[in-house]
Amino acid sequence: MTNFWWNNAQRLVDTLEADGYLADPHWRQAFIETPRHLFLPAFFHPLPDGRWRAADTGSPDYWESVYSDTTLTTQLNGAITPTPNTEPLAGEATSSSTQPSLMAAMLDALSLAGSERVLEIGTGTGYNAALLSHRLGADKVTSVEVDPTVSAVARQRLNLAGHQPTTVVGDGQQGWGSGAPYDRLIATVSVPGVPAAWLSQVRDGGVIVVSLWRDLGGGPLVRLNVDDGIAQGLFLPEAGGFMPVRSVAKARQALSIAAKQTGVSRPATVPGEVLHEPEIALWIALRVPVVTWLGFTPEEGGLQTWLFAAGGSWSMLDTTAGTVEQFGSRRLWDEVEHVYSLWEKAGRPTRGRLGLTATSTGQHSFWLDDPSNIQWRHS
């Protein structure tokens, strides 16, 4: 361990502590003593034009970036990895090293005593598995990764860091039954809903920490207690999600089509900012399903917020004019405004008051304050 990277790791820990993370001294020590740079010898920086620039240990901002509270992209289009001294690349982020503060929040939500067996869904770079191995011992950590190449590289880097957890290639939504039952499950990928396989592989009294994937974002990060095949708990106060730009390419394609169509216009009663305000954005993302969004600045100025759904439905909110134009069988901004009204009637609750009950049949019930106070359900 050199003073150079130790000092950088200490700087990262100081930042996390100042922001209210790492109250548990065990996690504080894990973040100091786990060299993030071993798992990130190269990565991509996003550029203003939407392309990506590769960075590595020779880049002037390498050490600052690696030991900053930032998500760093490590793969594009499911295959492209960063190669130094190349021209900027176009592509969609498909693998990354998660923002350390989000990792800290999720790890803390596991409520570990130190002897638990943990299943991690989404090995990625291996950094999170290394933190778990530092805290628990590698023999208590199993990590599943769908991409064989990503898994193999992570295993090599874990070895360099002195950890040999069980790393397997497989569909994370199926968990890893061979090692069950587990005391804890943490997913560093987002899933549409809590898979039934997880409920059967986490013992009664165990905990699941997962981010639900929604195209509209909202950061639905939830901590669930497992009992008799049912997982139940509250969403965390912190928003958290993974790979949040998956749907951008589809939205841009939809915009090129929508620009040639004419919808029905009316005054908007809710501003576009609600999609990004943490408390209401959670409700909107969860209750307005299968909808992507895109911000667009036309040549004549102003700002437009576009929503798109399957079947060609779209809504365009013109922030300057305060109007919304809608097309297709779904009136998407009507749906947003309806959810906003329900949230207001509920007393504008914070995200930490919303809860989830997930069953092995796939039913998800969303409730406020108490599991009996169900607000909506979906399967």
Side-chain angles (χ1 to χ4, degrees):
M1 183 183 303
T2 66
N3 288 334
F4 182 71
W5 78 256
W6 173 276
N7 291 337
N8 278 282
Q10 181 67 62
R11 175 173 53 81
L12 171 60
V13 166
D14 289 344
T15 298
L16 296 177
E17 286 187 315
D19 290 338
Y21 301 99
L22 303 182
D24 182 338
H26 293 97
W27 286 126
R28 182 183 187 279
Q29 199 67 19
F31 272 85
I32 289 178
E33 296 182 358
T34 303
R36 193 185 188 204
H37 65 276
L38 289 184
F39 301 91
L40 284 162
F43 48 87
F44 291 105
H45 275 306
L47 297 174
D49 63 2
R51 295 183 300 168
W52 302 85
R53 173 178 63 83
D56 69 350
T57 54
S59 303
D61 55 356
Y62 172 79
W63 291 98
E64 180 180 356
S65 297
V66 168
Y67 287 99
S68 63
D69 188 23
T70 306
T71 296
L72 295 173
T73 295
T74 56
Q75 186 191 71
L76 304 177
N77 299 339
I80 303 172
T81 54
T83 303
N85 303 316
T86 57
E87 293 296 317
L89 298 171
E92 189 172 347
T94 50
S95 189
S96 66
S97 179
T98 305
Q99 184 176 10
S101 59
L102 174 55
M103 297 172 67
M106 295 181 71
L107 290 168
D108 187 62
L110 291 175
S111 302
L112 297 177
S115 60
E116 294 85 355
R117 299 181 64 251
V118 177
L119 175 63
E120 179 192 38
I121 307 299
T123 310
T125 65
Y127 180 51
N128 197 65
L131 292 167
L132 286 165
S133 297
H134 185 288
R135 177 75 173 86
L136 300 170
D139 60 316
K140 293 185 171 63
V141 179
T142 299
S143 186
V144 182
E145 171 61 47
V146 69
D147 187 317
T149 302
V150 170
S151 180
V153 172
R155 189 179 305 113
Q156 293 171 1
R157 291 171 182 168
L158 281 161
N159 284 331
L160 284 175
H163 301 296
Q164 291 81 41
T166 300
T167 54
V168 295
V169 176
D171 179 358
Q173 294 195 73
Q174 300 303 314
W176 191 252
S178 298
Y182 304 96
D183 301 297
R184 301 288 189 270
L185 185 151
I186 182 171
T188 55
V189 294
S190 294
V191 292
V194 181
W198 296 2
L199 302 182
S200 67
Q201 293 173 20
V202 176
R203 66 166 178 81
D204 287 354
V207 172
I208 294 173
V209 178
V210 61
S211 170
L212 301 182
W213 171 255
R214 293 296 184 272
D215 286 322
L216 285 181
L221 183 60
V222 65
R223 181 188 190 276
L224 304 169
N225 296 296
V226 179
D227 184 31
D228 195 24
I230 296 175
Q232 187 167 271
L234 292 166
F235 286 86
L236 297 187
E238 301 92 347
F242 299 89
M243 307 314 298
V245 295
R246 292 177 193 167
S247 56
V248 169
K250 293 181 180 178
R252 286 175 177 159
Q253 294 171 4
L255 177 61
S256 66
I257 297 173
K260 303 172 185 177
Q261 299 169 328
T262 301
V264 177
S265 296
R266 65 167 176 82
T269 62
V270 172
E273 288 79 9
V274 298
L275 296 177
H276 313 294
E277 294 175 359
E279 314 303 345
I280 178 57
L282 176 64
W283 282 55
I284 293 172
L286 291 171
R287 295 204 65 171
V288 182
V290 200
V291 173
T292 61
W293 77 276
L294 188 69
F296 180 71
T297 303
E299 292 182 1
E300 58 271 22
L303 177 65
Q304 298 175 350
T305 298
W306 289 79
L307 301 183
F308 304 98
S313 295
W314 55 263
S315 293
M316 187 277 287
L317 184 73
D318 188 318
T319 301
T320 304
T323 60
V324 60
E325 182 180 356
Q326 304 187 96
F327 179 90
S329 58
R330 285 182 68 181
R331 293 298 193 249
L332 302 178
W333 201 252
D334 287 5
E335 294 182 30
V336 169
E337 291 181 341
H338 175 64
V339 173
Y340 186 85
S341 69
L342 295 176
W343 178 71
E344 285 203 312
K345 288 177 183 177
R348 303 171 67 91
T350 58
R351 61 192 301 124
R353 292 175 56 194
L354 189 66
L356 167 65
T357 299
T359 69
S360 58
T361 64
Q363 184 178 77
H364 287 57
S365 301
F366 297 86
W367 40 270
L368 188 61
D369 297 325
D370 186 272
S372 63
N373 187 18
I374 295 174
Q375 303 296 298
W376 73 93
R377 293 187 175 94
H378 74 73
S379 298

